[in-house]
């Protein structure tokens, strides 16, 4: 007897139901998908994210904005960061202190001399000035409809946000990184997630949950 085809909702590859994957498999899948974006498409998406981010931050005007140096086909926003710096927003980059610890942040001026950390991520050569950011950009491997984030699995951003609950957190992702996954007890929802197509606000989510209709 022939089986009817398995129904897989909103999934491009019918052999793979993302909602059933473990977090580690899901990370691999999402990283692969992100790595397969065509160069010209990625550039256009990065520009769209940059435009959204610029508008949000010039309105919000954080005192110290923690950015990131793009790795592994994360949205590449270095020109946007340089522009924000020109507009008077002080920047910082994350530093991995050790596995199992929160990130620390050091002041960063675009164009400053850099060296690679243990993961091969560029960090400022001069790391004397430690910063406590009031706004943190967190690149996402995945994110879900309630603004929870999936990263590379080190727990670095979750530990950092747990330590600084007052910080305004902005996830940066592509639409194709939206997914569903089981939450970990330490996962912290981000205040805002920006993609090339949308801005997802945690506040909207809370309000829509509490609205009577
Ligand atoms: N651009 C960027 N910078 C960042 C982060 C990030 O997510 N993106 N981080 C966010 O936390 C911290 C670095 N954390 C990272 C943790 C793991 C891997 C990584 O590629 N791990 C390998 C395994 C390496 C190993 O086990 O030794 C992998 O997953 O394949 C990269 C960055 C701080 N800086
Ligand atoms: N505040 C915390 N205290 C203790 N353990 C934590 C904390 N936050 C995360 N962890 C643990 O760290 C591990 C990795 O967490 P998780 O899977 O959320 O990483 P991630 O968000 O994908 O990674 P990253 O933020 O580094 O990109 C998990 O075992 C998680 O329980």
């Amino acid at each position: 007897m022939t089986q009817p085809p398995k129904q897989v909702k909103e999934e491009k590859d019918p052999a793979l139901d993302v909602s059933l994957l473990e977090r580690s498999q899901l990370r691999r899948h999402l990283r692969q998908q992100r790595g397969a974006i065509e160069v010209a498409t990625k550039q256009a998406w990065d520009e769209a994210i940059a435009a959204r981010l610029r508008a949000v931050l010039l309105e919000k005007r954080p005192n110290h904005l923690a950015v990131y140096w793009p790795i592994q086909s994360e949205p590449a926003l270095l020109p946007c960061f340089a522009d924000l710096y020109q507009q008077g927003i002080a920047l910082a980059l994350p530093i991995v202190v050790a596995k199992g610890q929160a990130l620390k942040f050091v002041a960063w001026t675009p164009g400053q001399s850099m060296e690679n950390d243990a993961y091969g991520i560029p960090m400022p050569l001069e790391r004397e000035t430690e910063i406590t950011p009031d706004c943190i950009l967190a690149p996402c491997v995945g994110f879900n409809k309630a603004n929870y984030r999936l990263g590379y699995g080190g727990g670095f951003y979750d530990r950092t946000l747990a330590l600084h609950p007052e910080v305004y957190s902005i996830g940066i992702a592509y639409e194709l990184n939206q997914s569903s996954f089981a939450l970990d007890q330490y996962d912290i929802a981000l205040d805002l997630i920006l993609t090339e197509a949308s801005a997802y606000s945690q506040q909207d989510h809370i309000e829509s949950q509490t609205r009577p209709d």
Side-chain angles (χ1 to χ4, degrees):
M1 199 171 70
T2 46
Q3 294 284 325
K6 215 174 126 205
Q7 284 278 314
V8 184
K9 243 174 76 187
E10 290 177 48
E11 180 50 47
K12 287 177 207 94
D13 177 357
L16 193 62
D17 181 349
V18 173
S19 65
L20 300 178
L21 296 180
E22 292 296 334
R23 281 165 80 108
S24 63
Q25 286 177 287
L26 181 60
R27 281 190 182 95
R28 213 173 314 130
H29 169 71
L30 292 171
R31 283 167 72 169
Q32 251 167 22
Q33 275 203 326
R34 193 177 62 187
I37 304 167
E38 275 189 37
V39 176
T41 305
K42 188 173 189 306
Q43 266 174 14
W45 288 356
D46 290 351
E47 278 169 27
I49 295 171
R52 271 177 212 286
L53 183 63
R54 186 177 193 277
V56 168
L57 291 173
L58 290 183
E59 154 98 42
K60 198 160 184 62
R61 291 226 149 249
N63 290 320
H64 294 282
L65 171 70
V67 297
Y68 61 92
W69 193 281
I71 55 167
Q72 302 183 10
S73 53
E74 288 169 344
L77 305 175
L78 292 178
C80 174
F81 301 155
D83 173 40
L84 291 169
Y85 181 77
Q86 291 300 324
Q87 304 284 331
I89 296 179
L91 305 178
L93 279 171
I95 304 286
V96 174
V97 179
K99 272 190 179 171
Q101 285 191 30
L103 296 165
K104 80 168 190 184
F105 297 91
V106 296
W108 174 57
T109 308
Q112 196 180 338
S113 299
M114 307 292 279
E115 67 175 328
N116 282 358
D117 72 3
Y119 294 98
I121 308 174
M123 61 181 173
L125 197 57
E126 198 275 291
R127 297 187 289 280
E128 294 290 292
T129 317
E130 199 169 327
I131 298 290
T132 304
D134 50 349
C135 181
I136 293 182
L137 304 188
C140 306
V141 170
F143 68 99
N144 73 8
K145 292 213 157 103
N147 271 21
Y148 285 92
R149 165 186 176 275
L150 201 64
Y152 293 112
F156 292 113
Y157 278 105
D158 282 323
R159 285 191 180 81
T160 307
L161 295 176
L163 212 59
H164 304 285
E166 70 294 346
V167 163
Y168 190 76
S169 54
I170 305 180
I172 304 290
Y174 297 118
E175 281 295 313
L176 56 74
N177 298 128
Q178 192 177 71
S179 187
S180 56
F181 44 87
L183 291 184
D184 179 277
Q185 59 168 322
Y186 296 112
D187 286 340
I188 293 176
L190 302 175
D191 293 307
L192 185 70
I193 293 178
L194 298 179
T195 71
E196 72 281 11
S198 291
Y200 300 98
S201 162
Q202 166 69 1
Q203 204 51 43
D204 292 348
H205 183 73
I206 294 167
E207 280 164 10
S208 68
Q209 275 185 333
T210 53
R211 264 198 297 266
D213 51 326

